[in-house]
């Protein structure tokens, strides 16, 4: 599967540092410049204004290469489905709080999941002084687990047999998931 940067047309400039189109993220160039180098396989594209066609130089799109995404739905409520179009396993309940397996982490300080959500190591936040120069950006802790809690077995798991068994979506918890950059401790 060939992947290329996504170039998009925006109706208006986003009002916050990170915006979503539903398929990929649009982030402010200052945030991209400070973080992208700490990740791997992150494609960046351009944004144009729909009415004028003007290049919006303060904004870029970000999208991860498939092989460099971080699986973030390994917690109790995380569930996946097989895409009928491409056959890939995709998250099927976006309301689930993220959780990451320690074995999926390497030496990077920035990861993106399949939706382009950003997950930053505490070292990146401290090294770039992000809480000081981007006070409007919120960081949320994300648990790092030894084993998945959902009961699913995915291709990267030791017990993978080559066959995916889809589990039902559980009843959602009463709390809403946080939005922002994930931070593991």
């Amino acid at each position: 599967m060939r992947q290329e940067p996504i170039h998009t047309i925006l109706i208006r400039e986003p009002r916050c540092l990170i915006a979503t189109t539903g398929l990929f993220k649009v982030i402010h160039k200052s945030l991209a410049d400070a973080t992208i180098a700490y990740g791997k396989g992150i494609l960046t594209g351009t944004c144009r204004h729909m009415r004028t066609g003007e290049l919006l130089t303060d904004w870029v799109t970000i999208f991860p290469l498939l092989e460099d995404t971080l699986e973030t739905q390994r917690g109790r409520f995380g569930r996946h489905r097989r895409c009928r179009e491409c056959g890939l396993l995709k998250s099927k309940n976006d309301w689930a709080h993220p959780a990451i397996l320690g074995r999926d982490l390497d030496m990077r300080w920035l990861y993106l999941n399949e939706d382009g959500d950003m997950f930053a190591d505490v070292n990146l936040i401290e090294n770039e002084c992000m809480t000081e120069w981007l006070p409007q950006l919120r960081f949320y802790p994300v648990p790092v687990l030894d084993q998945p809690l959902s009961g699913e077995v995915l291709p990267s798991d030791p017990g993978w047999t080559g066959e995916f068994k889809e589990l039902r979506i559980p009843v959602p918890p009463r709390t809403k998931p946080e939005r922002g950059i994930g931070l593991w401790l």
Side-chain angles (χ1 to χ4, degrees):
M1 171 185 269
R2 184 175 175 195
Q3 294 180 280
E4 296 180 7
I6 297 172
H7 304 288
T8 193
I9 297 172
L10 300 174
I11 295 171
R12 65 177 182 274
E13 288 193 48
R15 295 183 179 143
C16 51
L17 290 172
I18 303 171
T20 184
T21 66
L23 297 174
F24 55 90
K25 300 292 186 268
V26 174
I27 68 172
H28 197 271
K29 182 112 171 47
S30 63
L31 179 59
D33 290 344
T35 59
I36 298 296
Y38 293 100
K40 178 181 172 192
I42 301 172
L43 303 172
T44 59
T46 59
C47 299
R48 292 191 173 276
H49 192 276
M50 186 169 113
R51 198 172 70 246
T52 65
E54 172 190 3
L55 183 65
L56 300 173
T57 57
D58 287 341
W59 300 96
V60 296
T61 63
I62 59 169
F63 195 77
L65 286 173
L66 187 61
E67 63 268 16
D68 293 317
T69 59
L70 178 65
E71 179 52 59
T72 58
Q73 293 297 319
R74 302 312 306 264
R76 192 172 104 197
F77 299 107
R79 295 295 186 275
H80 295 80
R81 65 176 175 78
R82 187 168 297 282
C83 178
R84 291 182 188 149
E85 303 286 322
C86 66
L88 295 174
L89 295 177
K90 306 271 188 178
S91 296
K92 75 175 185 180
N93 57 335
D94 290 336
W95 55 261
H97 292 272
I100 297 165
L101 295 181
R103 68 174 176 251
D104 292 340
L105 302 175
D106 53 31
M107 300 306 292
R108 288 180 270 175
W109 284 359
L110 180 71
Y111 297 84
L112 270 61
N113 69 2
E114 66 182 9
D115 298 323
D117 295 329
M118 300 172 82
F119 292 82
D121 187 283
V122 68
N123 291 309
L124 170 59
I125 293 159
E126 291 173 355
N127 191 54
E128 291 294 333
C129 305
M130 293 175 76
T131 54
E132 295 163 16
W133 67 270
L134 294 171
Q136 68 273 39
L137 202 56
R138 292 185 291 179
F139 300 94
Y140 301 98
V142 174
V144 177
L145 309 172
D146 292 328
Q147 298 296 321
L149 301 178
S150 66
E152 291 183 315
V153 180
L154 300 181
S156 63
D157 293 339
W160 177 250
T161 62
E163 189 173 324
F164 174 67
K165 180 182 176 188
E166 189 169 333
L167 301 178
R168 288 183 349 172
I169 293 181
V171 176
R174 293 177 187 244
T175 60
K176 293 182 179 180
E178 297 91 357
R179 295 285 180 215
I181 291 183
L183 162 69
W184 62 85
L185 306 173

